[in-house]
């Protein structure tokens, strides 16, 4: 099987963004995932987000591990460098890439097997370090490419299509990300583009570790009625705490809102996040109460979605390491090599 | 009773201590004092996997003739550890000397008849001089150094000078240490017949040479070679390399004005993450490395294979040690040769460099960064604990001021804009090395998707057999090209024509050189070849072809270098005679001499037998 090239032709009247690019300039090659796969909706959301933000595609690096979700970077941002790394290890490769050049946007795409099972360690540690990235987990509770085994995010008691029941407790990556110090945490649903696109846009603009858990049902292996990761289940139990209207700077707020229902967050780069509250008492700046709320709703069988936590000035790994402003990969001999004189001093000190 | 050993500037002193008793600084002071007297010396720390309580040894080879490998045997034992007393006593050469703490009397059975026993009441001296138990313990080490200085007729000014340098900035510590030194020295000069048969005399034989560990020098080489990203996970004996890199970077890599760092160091959560970060950084155009040891190499296997197939520069320092878990890990070996050469699954092979000492560790570290970029592949620098953690007396480090980093084939914006054809895995000039682009280079040209092996020359996804095979063949051509850039072997011809050769590499060099001299005095002549890199250059197999029998000297059980030679060169294994030292201590000259002589007796016996009817 050779990969399928999409024709570059497009309708002359397709809308263009501030860079003069059309939506098509953000697409990749044709998806080889199953028809109806939630992951393709997430790819579409990524494409729309980057188009609307008018990002130069070549300034984005997309990295993934192994699995169905990790195949998706081929299907979006064809003008971006991509890296299909090894299973569960995307976070370390992304961290290294980020260290080499702090000027690019890093988009890490992973799955629940890739991040919660084999890659739980790397997931945790890259969040802890505050790597400036968008980390998206396309979460379907199941291994697709190896045909239907449970992953570590599958709920206890969840039943697979062929009848197997999961007896292990699930890992909630959102709860972990909160505990580990992520400065932007969100959950969404692949079937709700209205909710997902603004979250991705806000995550891209966020400086620091931004984590989005996207429930993305697997139509082939985990969309049966007894699954808690099916389209129907998530629709029925979706407890959205807020609706994010992402705005770039300087855009005036025009609509009228009832007092106490609107919250504005100004991000590091000046972009503004306008949150319409759906759960009146939910405060997305309070890490501890966010964690409590999640636990309570989870116990009630609900799937909490929305922008769950944001900390605007948390900083990122480069700030913590106090690295120079210039990308490390752009430094040459003059900046890096101390020269013979320094070596003479070193020699003298070791006699 | 044998004659007491007599030697000037040519003997071995070994200190047997308890780990964590503060002996390391006194012992190091001894070795450096010898150097300050202008007499070449080397030291080897043989230590346990432990912070406090287990036995540790420090062996100093003093050699005016410049033999700085391990010789084998001990001429003067400073036995400070009751636990290892019996084996320490047994190691002393007949006619050699024993210095011990005689505060508590020991039965006669604890000594040997054929050695000279020198008792010094070190504990008693310290108890008289100090009230604080901690001081009593710490200064005991300096007191025995004082005793030793008198016995060996050392220049006390050299030791005092070093104490002054060592405690510069903590000046209040200088006086008490000098006082302790003289407590021991004065006692010895009053109570003992000083000097003994082993003596030190001032010479001018050290010259410009420096006394450094391989890990420190390799880390500095990484700084000079332009490494900006280091990701590592603590593991003996490699940790001090990453830590030295951090310390060199703090000194040399801070922006003068902003004080910001021109480097990034991550202590990762494990070795898998370390190598992943190195690969991510290399993919994105920064020079990156990790430092690890055998177990780390095992954990990195999958990623190393990916880097090989995806063709991403990475430098891996493997500070080799013995076996997994605890115990042997604090002992030296050259036992990762095969696991590094063929690291990972699938058809992979990797470039290895074998530095012989800290000086070459510095050079090869910088070279490895160039090689990795030039060849777009992982490059291993195969150090070992002996080179990495022991201080060696080596030529001073030097750097060519005109040297430019070789960034290899990177297609930049101008080339892409000018319309250069870009195929990520396209062999444009038949050296097997394709061009790469870095993320973010050009808005519409040069982007590609990095994967394992499922790709064609333009990095397009394919699972077809033909492009796979073509790619695998190109990787072989690239491996061949590596020979053009990797350090060539060093050949030395024997004084007389000979049918016999010896092949060695890495930290074996010094012991080997001394062994060759000794063998020559016995009429045994060997041509030698020191391997400095893998893939093997043609000279290696020419050398093998031009000798009837070859000794392959290495520090592992399974003759791994010999295996690599037979696999890669299709050499008849029967012609390669293994000489293997793998007890965890560095190989000695005496071991090599004996092994070669014994083997030759067998080998040369065969034709004699044939001659008989």
């Amino acid at each position: 099987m050779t990969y399928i090239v999409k024709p570059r032709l497009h309708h002359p009247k397709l809308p263009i963004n501030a860079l003069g690019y059309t939506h098509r300039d953000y697409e990749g090659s044709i998806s080889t995932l199953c028809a109806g796969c939630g992951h393709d909706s997430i790819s579409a959301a990524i494409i729309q987000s980057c188009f609307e933000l008018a990002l130069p595609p070549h300034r984005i690096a997309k990295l993934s591990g192994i699995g169905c979700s990790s195949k998706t970077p081929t299907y979006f941002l064809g003008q971006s460098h991509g890296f299909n790394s090894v299973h569960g290890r995307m976070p370390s490769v992304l961290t290294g890439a980020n260290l080499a050049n702090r000027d690019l946007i890093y988009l890490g795409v992973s799955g629940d097997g890739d991040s919660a099972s084999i890659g739980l360690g790397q997931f945790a540690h890259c969040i802890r370090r505050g790597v400036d990235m968008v980390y998206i987990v396309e979460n379907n509770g199941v291994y697709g490419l190896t045909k239907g085994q449970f992953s570590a995010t599958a709920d206890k008691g969840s039943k697979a299509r062929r009848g197997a029941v999961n007896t292990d407790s699930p890992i909630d990556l959102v709860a972990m990300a909160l505990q580990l110090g992520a400065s932007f945490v969100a959950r969404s649903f692949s079937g709700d583009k209205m909710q997902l696109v603004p979250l991705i846009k806000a995550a891209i603009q966020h400086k620091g570790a931004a984590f989005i858990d996207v429930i993305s049902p697997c139509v082939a292996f985990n969309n049966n009625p007894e699954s808690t990761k099916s389209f129907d289940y998530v629709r029925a139990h979706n407890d959205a705490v807020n609706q994010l209207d992402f705005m770039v700077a300087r855009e005036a707020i025009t609509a009228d809102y009832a007092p106490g229902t609107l919250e504005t967050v100004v991000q590091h780069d000046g972009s503004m996040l306008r949150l319409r509250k759906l759960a009146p008492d939910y405060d997305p700046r309070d890490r501890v109460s966010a964690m409590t709320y999640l636990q309570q709703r989870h116990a009630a069988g609900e799937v909490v979605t929305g922008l769950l936590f944001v900390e605007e000035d948390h900083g990122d790994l480069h700030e913590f390491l106090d690295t120079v402003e210039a990308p490390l990969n752009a430094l040459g001999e003059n900046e890096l090599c101390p020269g013979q004189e320094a070596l003479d001093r070193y020699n003298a000190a070791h006699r | 009773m044998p004659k007491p050993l007599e030697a000037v500037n040519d003997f071995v002193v070994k200190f047997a201590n308890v780990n964590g008793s503060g002996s390391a600084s006194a012992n190091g002071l001894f070795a450096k004092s010898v150097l300050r007297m202008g007499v070449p010396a080397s030291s080897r720390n043989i230590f346990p996997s432990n912070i406090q309580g287990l036995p540790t040894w420090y062996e100093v080879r003093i050699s005016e003739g410049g033999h700085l490998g391990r010789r084998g045997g001990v001429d003067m034992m400073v036995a400070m550890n009751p636990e290892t007393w019996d084996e320490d006593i047994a190691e002393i050469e007949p006619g050699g000397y024993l210095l011990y703490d005689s505060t508590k009397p020991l039965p006669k059975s604890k000594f040997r008849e054929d050695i000279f026993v020198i008792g010094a009441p070190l504990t008693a001296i310290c108890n008289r001089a100090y009230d604080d138990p901690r001081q009593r313990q710490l200064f005991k080490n300096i007191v025995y150094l004082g005793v030793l200085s008198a016995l060996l007729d050392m220049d006390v000014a050299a030791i005092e000078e070093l104490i002054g340098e060592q405690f510069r900035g903590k000046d209040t510590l200088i006086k008490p240490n000098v006082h302790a030194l003289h407590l021991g020295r004065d006692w010895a000069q009053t109570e003992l017949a000083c000097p003994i048969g082993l003596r030190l005399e001032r010479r001018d034989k050290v010259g410009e040479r420096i006394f450094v560990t391989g890990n420190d020098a390799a880390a500095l080489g990484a700084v000079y070679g332009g490494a900006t990203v280091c990701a590592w996970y603590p593991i003996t004996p490699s940790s001090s390399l990453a830590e030295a890199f951090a310390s060199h970077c703090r000194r040399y890599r801070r922006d003068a004005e902003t004080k910001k760092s021109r480097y990034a160091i991550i202590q990762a959560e494990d070795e898998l993450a370390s190598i992943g970060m190195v690969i991510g950084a290399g993919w994105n155009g920064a020079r990156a490395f990790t430092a690890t040891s055998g177990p780390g190499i095992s954990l990195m296997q999958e990623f190393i294979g990916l880097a090989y197939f995806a063709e991403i520069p990475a430098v891996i320092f493997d500070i080799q040690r013995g076996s997994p878990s605890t115990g042997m890990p604090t002992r030296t070996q050259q036992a990762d040769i095969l696991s590094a050469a063929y690291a990972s699954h699938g058809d992979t092979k990797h470039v290895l460099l074998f530095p012989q000492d800290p000086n070459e560790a510095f050079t090869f570290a910088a070279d490895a960064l160039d090689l990795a970029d030039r060849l777009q592949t992982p490059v291993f620098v195969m150090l070992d604990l002996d080179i990495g953690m022991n201080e060696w007396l080596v030529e001073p480090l030097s750097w060519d001021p005109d040297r430019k980093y070789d960034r290899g084939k990177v297609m930049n914006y101008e080339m892409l804009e000018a319309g250069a054809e870009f195929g990520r895995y396209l062999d444009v000039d038949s050296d097997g090395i394709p061009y790469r682009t870095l993320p973010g280079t050009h808005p519409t040209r040069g982007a590609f998707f990095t994967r394992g092996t499922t790709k064609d020359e333009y990095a397009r996804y394919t699972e077809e057999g033909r492009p796979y095979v073509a790619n695998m063949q190109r990787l072989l051509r690239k491996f061949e090209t590596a020979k053009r850039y990797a350090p060539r072997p060093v050949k030395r011809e024997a004084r007389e024509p000979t049918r016999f050769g010896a092949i060695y590499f890495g930290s074996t060099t010094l012991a080997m050189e001394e062994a060759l001299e000794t063998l020559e005095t016995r009429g045994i002549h060997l041509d030698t070849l020191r391997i400095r890199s893998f893939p093997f250059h043609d000279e290696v197999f020419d050398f093998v072809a031009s000798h009837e029998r070859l000794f392959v000297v290495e520090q592992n059980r399974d003759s791994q270098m010999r295996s690599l030679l037979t696999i890669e060169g299709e050499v008849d294994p029967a012609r390669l005679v293994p000489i293997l030292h793998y007890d965890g201590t560095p190989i000695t000259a005496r071991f090599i001499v004996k092994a070669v002589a014994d083997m030759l007796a067998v080998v040369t016996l065969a034709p004699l037998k044939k001659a008989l009817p």
Side-chain angles (χ1 to χ4, degrees):
Chain A
M1 184 202 67
T2 308
Y3 102 147
I4 305 155
V5 187
K6 265 190 203 173
R8 301 287 302 165
L9 285 172
H10 60 77
H11 194 278
K13 286 196 178 148
L14 267 185
I16 55 169
N17 64 13
L19 281 181
Y21 288 135
T22 71
H23 196 270
R24 300 295 304 275
D25 294 311
Y26 294 87
E27 291 178 358
S29 55
I30 289 169
S31 170
T32 59
L33 299 176
C34 307
C37 177
H39 298 356
D40 284 333
S41 309
I42 301 171
S43 294
I46 291 170
I47 291 167
Q48 190 179 330
S49 303
C50 295
F51 169 77
E52 288 177 9
L53 286 174
L55 300 173
H58 73 295
R59 303 299 291 174
I60 303 168
K62 45 182 188 176
L63 298 99
S64 61
I66 293 295
C68 290
S69 55
S70 292
K71 284 166 85 82
T72 63
T74 310
Y75 317 136
F76 58 80
L77 299 175
Q79 291 305 324
S80 305
H81 274 66
F83 197 153
N84 217 160
S85 69
V86 293
H87 200 14
R89 319 293 173 207
M90 174 276 286
S92 63
V93 179
L94 189 151
T95 303
N98 181 294
L99 292 174
N101 184 357
R102 62 189 300 177
D103 285 353
L104 303 184
I105 291 165
Y106 293 92
L107 182 55
V109 177
S110 179
D112 39 301
D114 201 53
S115 279
S117 299
I118 188 170
L120 188 64
Q122 295 214 342
F123 161 79
H125 289 279
C126 83
I127 299 276
R128 272 180 67 220
R129 291 189 183 101
V131 180
D132 187 17
M133 62 178 172
V134 180
Y135 191 135
I136 295 176
V137 166
E138 306 185 348
N139 185 356
N140 56 17
V142 78
Y143 287 79
L145 274 184
T146 52
K147 305 198 171 175
Q149 301 81 5
F150 283 119
S151 86
T153 64
D155 284 309
K156 194 166 185 168
S158 184
K159 210 176 203 180
R161 200 184 58 172
R162 287 186 192 133
V165 176
N166 177 44
T167 56
D168 299 339
S169 295
I171 289 172
D172 182 355
L173 291 173
V174 157
M176 286 195 71
L178 282 168
Q179 193 276 324
L180 292 162
S183 46
F184 182 108
V185 181
R187 177 146 51 209
S188 189
F189 174 42
S190 65
D192 187 354
K193 209 170 175 184
M194 289 286 286
Q195 185 193 43
L196 181 55
V197 170
L199 286 173
I200 294 175
K201 286 162 75 176
I204 290 174
Q205 300 286 31
H206 180 77
K207 189 169 180 95
F211 175 69
I212 310 178
D213 180 32
V214 189
I215 312 292
S216 174
C218 173
V219 289
F221 299 108
N222 205 15
N223 198 30
N224 44 306
E226 304 92 338
S227 162
T228 55
K229 296 277 190 293
S230 66
F231 277 108
D232 290 344
Y233 184 90
V234 180
R235 278 207 191 94
H237 296 84
N238 191 339
D239 173 23
V241 292
N242 48 35
Q243 173 64 41
L244 174 63
D245 298 332
F246 178 83
M247 305 188 306
V248 288
R250 291 187 306 278
E251 197 176 312
I253 300 169
T254 50
D256 288 327
Y257 294 94
T261 62
L262 187 75
E263 184 158 9
T264 305
V265 178
V266 181
Q267 296 225 92
H268 182 89
D269 64 342
S271 62
M272 287 161 75
L273 309 181
R274 187 172 57 189
L275 282 170
R276 274 182 288 125
K277 290 188 167 187
L278 301 177
D281 296 330
Y282 190 84
D283 179 2
R285 281 169 165 137
D286 183 343
R287 194 185 288 273
V288 176
S289 66
M291 290 165 81
T292 311
Y293 186 84
L294 274 168
Q295 297 292 327
Q296 285 168 344
R297 302 311 297 159
H298 181 78
E302 297 293 304
V303 182
V304 179
T305 62
L307 177 54
L308 305 176
F309 178 74
V310 62
E311 185 183 341
E312 302 93 309
D313 297 314
H314 182 82
D316 81 318
L317 181 58
H318 277 282
E319 275 180 58
F320 307 151
L321 294 176
D322 202 22
T323 47
V324 286
E325 293 301 320
L328 293 178
N329 72 354
L331 304 178
E333 294 87 358
N334 292 341
E335 294 91 7
L336 300 178
C337 184
Q340 181 64 43
E341 230 172 85
L343 208 47
D344 290 341
R345 285 197 297 276
Y346 176 87
N347 287 331
H350 288 82
R351 286 190 179 114
Chain B
M1 188 73 190
K3 251 177 62 155
L5 288 180
E6 295 214 0
V8 176
N9 296 346
D10 186 10
F11 50 92
V12 174
V13 180
K14 189 167 181 176
F15 299 85
N17 299 97
V18 178
N19 206 27
S21 64
S23 58
S25 122
N27 297 347
L29 213 50
F30 171 75
K32 285 185 189 129
S33 305
V34 176
L35 294 173
R36 279 295 162 94
M37 291 177 66
V39 180
S42 62
S43 63
R44 282 173 183 81
N45 196 3
I46 297 158
F47 60 97
S49 180
N50 161 263
I51 300 301
Q52 212 168 49
L54 289 184
T56 176
W57 295 268
Y58 188 77
E59 189 177 294
V60 182
R61 173 82 197 270
I62 297 156
S63 168
E64 188 177 329
H67 292 307
L68 297 176
R70 266 185 94 215
R71 183 196 71 186
V74 176
D75 303 321
M76 156 68 86
M77 177 68 76
V78 182
M80 301 300 294
N81 186 358
E83 195 188 330
T84 57
W85 177 271
D86 291 341
E87 59 179 287
D88 293 335
I89 301 302
E91 211 181 341
I92 303 169
E93 293 288 303
Y97 303 84
L98 165 71
L99 173 62
Y100 79 108
D101 183 356
S102 62
T103 304
K104 278 190 185 160
L106 283 169
K108 209 165 170 245
S109 62
K110 295 305 267 179
F111 300 94
R112 263 167 56 188
E113 291 292 334
D114 59 343
I115 58 170
F116 293 88
V117 177
I118 304 161
L122 301 169
T123 305
I125 293 173
C126 288
N127 288 354
R128 272 201 302 276
Y130 305 101
D131 294 327
D132 174 25
R134 180 78 189 142
Q135 283 191 335
R136 284 175 173 175
Q137 170 57 43
L138 282 180
F139 283 122
K140 190 160 38 167
N141 302 307
I142 301 292
V143 171
Y144 74 59
L145 180 60
V147 173
L148 205 56
S149 78
L151 292 173
L152 303 177
D153 200 16
M154 290 172 76
D155 185 349
V156 75
I159 310 176
E160 288 176 0
E161 182 182 279
L162 277 164
I163 291 175
E165 288 172 26
Q166 193 165 323
F167 296 108
R168 193 177 296 148
K170 294 180 255 175
D171 292 3
T172 49
L173 292 174
I174 297 174
K175 240 174 111 181
N177 274 284
V178 171
H179 177 70
L181 181 74
H182 282 282
L183 274 181
R185 188 175 169 87
D186 295 348
W187 181 89
Q189 279 172 338
T190 319
E191 304 290 332
L192 302 171
C194 296
I196 55 169
L198 306 176
R199 281 181 300 117
L200 282 159
E201 283 177 12
R202 227 175 222 290
R203 293 285 186 273
D204 190 14
K205 297 249 166 116
V206 172
E208 291 296 293
R209 278 182 284 181
I210 60 171
F211 199 53
V212 285
T213 67
N215 282 353
D216 200 74
L220 192 64
V223 171
Y224 273 71
T228 51
V229 175
C230 163
W232 66 293
Y233 185 76
I235 178 171
T236 305
S238 74
S239 307
S240 58
L241 198 162
E243 283 165 348
F245 182 72
S247 129
H248 294 320
C249 281
R250 282 193 291 274
R251 176 171 301 178
Y252 300 119
R253 285 282 192 76
R254 289 261 169 89
D255 188 281
E257 281 170 33
T258 63
K259 306 287 171 220
K260 284 181 178 293
S261 304
R262 295 192 182 118
Y263 63 93
I265 300 170
I266 303 283
Q267 184 190 312
E269 59 270 30
D270 54 30
E271 285 89 346
L272 286 79
S274 315
I275 189 69
M277 289 176 199
V278 168
I279 288 167
W283 175 74
N284 212 0
R287 294 196 147 183
F289 75 90
T290 187
T292 188
S293 191
I297 300 290
S298 298
L299 289 169
M300 293 176 186
Q301 296 280 311
E302 185 184 19
F303 254 136
I304 291 170
L306 178 73
Y308 173 82
F309 288 115
E311 299 181 64
I312 296 167
V315 171
I316 300 163
F317 291 95
D318 179 2
I319 325 303
Q320 297 169 90
R321 63 179 216 185
S323 61
S325 191
T326 51
M328 285 304 278
T330 57
R331 308 299 156 95
T332 195
Q333 274 186 358
Q334 298 175 320
D336 297 342
I337 310 300
L338 286 173
S339 68
Y342 299 126
S344 202
H345 56 284
D347 291 319
T348 53
K349 34 187 164 181
H350 307 286
V351 178
L352 316 182
L353 307 183
F354 303 101
Q356 64 169 349
D357 63 13
N359 180 290
E360 232 172 41
F362 170 79
T363 313
F364 284 10
D367 291 351
L369 290 158
D370 272 356
L371 272 171
D373 264 355
R374 167 56 50 186
L375 300 167
Q376 299 174 21
T377 200
V379 174
F380 289 79
V381 184
M382 305 297 286
L383 293 159
D384 60 23
L385 184 144
D386 188 18
I387 299 177
M389 291 190 72
N390 287 319
E391 286 170 308
W392 292 48
L393 187 66
V394 294
E395 290 305 313
L397 309 181
S398 67
W399 185 259
D400 173 4
D402 297 325
R403 177 165 172 172
K404 293 273 174 263
Y405 298 151
D406 178 3
R407 301 308 311 261
K409 293 182 184 171
V410 181
M411 210 172 263
N412 58 24
Y413 176 85
E414 288 71 27
M415 294 162 83
L416 290 165
E417 188 61 20
E421 186 191 17
F422 175 65
R424 174 63 185 96
Y425 301 106
L426 191 63
D427 187 5
V428 284
D429 40 19
S430 17
D431 61 0
I433 308 171
Y435 272 90
R436 63 178 181 138
T437 55
L438 303 182
T441 301
H442 192 282
T444 54
R445 293 172 191 165
F448 69 95
F449 210 93
T450 302
R451 298 185 179 85
T453 48
T454 47
K455 67 203 176 195
D456 67 7
E457 289 172 321
Y458 295 89
R460 290 176 302 215
Y461 189 88
T462 174
E463 294 176 14
E464 283 171 21
R466 209 154 26 99
Y468 174 79
V469 171
N471 189 53
M472 295 299 281
Q473 288 299 318
R474 181 183 55 76
L475 285 169
L476 275 186
R477 284 200 297 283
K478 186 168 93 164
F479 203 60
E480 194 62 29
T481 301
K483 297 179 189 173
R484 257 190 258 161
Y485 297 96
R488 310 194 84 86
V490 178
K491 202 171 131 179
R492 167 201 158 281
E493 275 181 19
R495 200 170 287 180
E496 287 177 22
T498 171
R499 296 175 290 147
F500 301 107
I503 291 175
Y504 63 96
F505 58 96
S507 63
T508 302
T509 302
L510 291 176
M512 190 71 201
E513 285 171 354
E514 183 177 0
L516 291 169
E517 268 189 32
T518 312
L519 287 165
E520 205 175 274
T521 60
R522 297 195 197 170
I524 299 172
H525 297 276
L526 299 176
D527 294 332
T528 62
L529 188 84
R530 175 164 75 89
I531 291 174
R532 297 203 299 165
S533 66
F534 177 74
F536 300 122
H537 292 84
D538 295 343
E539 292 103 295
V540 174
F541 298 114
D542 293 345
F543 183 80
V544 172
S546 58
H547 292 88
E548 197 178 295
R549 287 287 167 98
L550 298 108
F551 298 100
V552 184
V553 186
E554 44 190 322
Q555 301 184 50
N556 59 61
R557 186 197 67 179
D558 290 342
S559 35
Q560 298 189 19
M561 184 63 86
R562 177 174 169 272
S563 296
L564 202 57
L565 286 163
T566 54
I567 295 166
E568 295 289 324
E570 291 172 23
V571 178
D572 174 10
R575 294 178 44 227
L576 303 179
V577 183
I579 292 186
L580 306 170
H581 187 277
Y582 54 93
D583 68 359
T585 62
I587 194 167
T588 66
R590 287 182 181 176
F591 175 86
I592 300 171
V593 168
K594 183 169 185 315
V596 170
D598 289 355
M599 296 272 193
L600 274 179
V602 177
V603 171
T604 48
L605 220 57
L608 267 180
K609 268 188 188 161
K610 250 188 231 163
L612 294 172

